[in-house]
Amino acid sequence: MMKVTAPAAVGHAKIELESSDAIHVLHPRSIIAFQGAPMLREDKFMDLAGMYRKRKWIRSRIQGPSQFILGLPAGCTLESIPIPEGGDLLFDFKHVLFYTEGMQMKSRIQKIKTAWITHEWVRMRFSGPGELGILVTGDLAVLQLDPEQPLYIEKSSLVAYPEQANVKLSVYGNQLASQHMHVQWEITGKGPVLIQTGSRDPQLEDQLQGDGVIKRILRELLPFGSIYIK
């Protein structure tokens, strides 16, 4: 059985494969160390859809018994997600680092009005059984949807949601709140949603770095204050 070890805040993940395991790594250059028979790694060209979505030409198929280290971008973590047969989560493909052999992928076209704003035309549905390696900024959080009570998620933080969920773009809160927030996904339905938690708030970072109180207030209150006041 495949074993994935991804220590928090270390910047790498270790993957151990038994002889019956095989996975496909979508970013082969992230493989910084490999231990096993050389023939157990086989690089292949991706299909045209994969080339477009990942902006990569090559993927690596790695068979066990072997082990290897994946180098991760700064501030990112890798989570191995079990995907059942008939799984219905729609993933942003840019977060997928690897998947186990035997899994099925299907493209799902997004609504035009949603894709126009988010520049996200296609999401991927994976069906198992298998494991999906998800690369996220910060950590991965899981929340459960409610059929009546909307869940609002900043659009850059949403990693995956159920295909049957009702999804639209929105903001929330009073007028001041809606004017000073990024566009949100408003989601209702049943099942889990996956969220990356590493979104950055530049003003919070400025505050932690000792930026002046007056500057922060002016950026908040004045029109286009965040642009003109540095």
Side-chain angles (χ1 to χ4, degrees):
M1 180 179 295
M2 181 181 71
K3 180 181 178 182
V4 178
T5 305
V10 172
H12 74 270
K14 180 181 180 182
I15 299 180
E16 301 174 68
L17 303 176
E18 297 182 356
S19 58
S20 59
D21 298 327
I23 72 169
H24 297 264
V25 179
L26 300 182
H27 292 268
R29 289 188 177 182
S30 66
I31 302 172
I32 58 176
F34 174 83
Q35 187 174 39
M39 65 199 62
L40 295 177
R41 172 174 172 170
E42 181 183 8
D43 284 14
K44 299 181 178 181
F45 285 103
M46 298 181 69
D47 58 27
L48 290 176
M51 291 178 186
Y52 173 75
R53 296 186 196 110
K54 298 296 288 184
R55 295 179 174 84
K56 298 290 181 181
W57 290 91
I58 303 293
R59 62 180 169 86
S60 292
R61 180 187 183 272
I62 299 182
Q63 172 78 43
S66 61
Q67 60 181 342
F68 59 97
I69 299 292
L70 293 172
L72 306 180
C76 291
T77 55
L78 178 68
E79 295 282 350
S80 183
I81 307 296
I83 303 295
E85 184 176 359
D88 69 339
L89 289 178
L90 298 183
F91 286 86
D92 186 342
F93 198 45
K94 69 183 179 183
H95 290 284
V96 180
L97 184 55
F98 69 78
Y99 59 90
T100 53
E101 190 157 271
M103 295 185 66
Q104 297 181 352
M105 296 182 291
K106 292 184 179 180
S107 300
R108 290 292 187 262
I109 305 298
Q110 302 298 290
K111 295 178 181 179
I112 292 178
K113 64 179 182 181
T114 299
W116 179 259
I117 296 176
T118 63
H119 305 292
E120 181 183 279
W121 293 93
V122 176
R123 278 189 171 246
M124 296 296 296
R125 174 176 173 172
F126 290 85
S127 180
E131 296 277 332
L132 201 62
I134 300 298
L135 185 66
V136 296
T137 303
D139 293 318
L140 188 70
V142 180
L143 295 175
Q144 294 295 323
L145 292 175
D146 185 276
E148 304 295 334
Q149 185 69 41
L151 174 64
Y152 295 93
I153 304 170
E154 184 175 333
K155 64 182 181 66
S156 63
S157 297
L158 183 61
V159 175
Y161 60 85
E163 184 171 15
Q164 299 304 318
N166 181 28
V167 182
K168 62 181 181 180
L169 294 171
S170 180
V171 291
Y172 63 95
N174 63 6
Q175 184 177 7
L176 184 61
S178 63
Q179 289 176 344
H180 289 267
M181 70 170 60
H182 296 295
V183 174
Q184 308 281 315
W185 296 91
E186 180 185 325
I187 311 178
T188 54
K190 295 182 179 180
V193 293
L194 308 183
I195 306 167
Q196 64 176 358
T197 63
S199 296
R200 302 296 184 186
D201 180 354
Q203 294 177 346
L204 177 58
E205 292 182 356
D206 288 345
Q207 181 175 340
L208 293 175
Q209 293 170 4
D211 201 4
V213 174
I214 300 299
K215 285 186 177 180
R216 297 201 303 269
I217 293 175
L218 291 177
R219 288 196 191 105
E220 288 283 345
L221 297 181
L222 295 180
F224 305 105
S226 60
I227 296 177
Y228 294 114
I229 300 176
K230 303 298 182 180

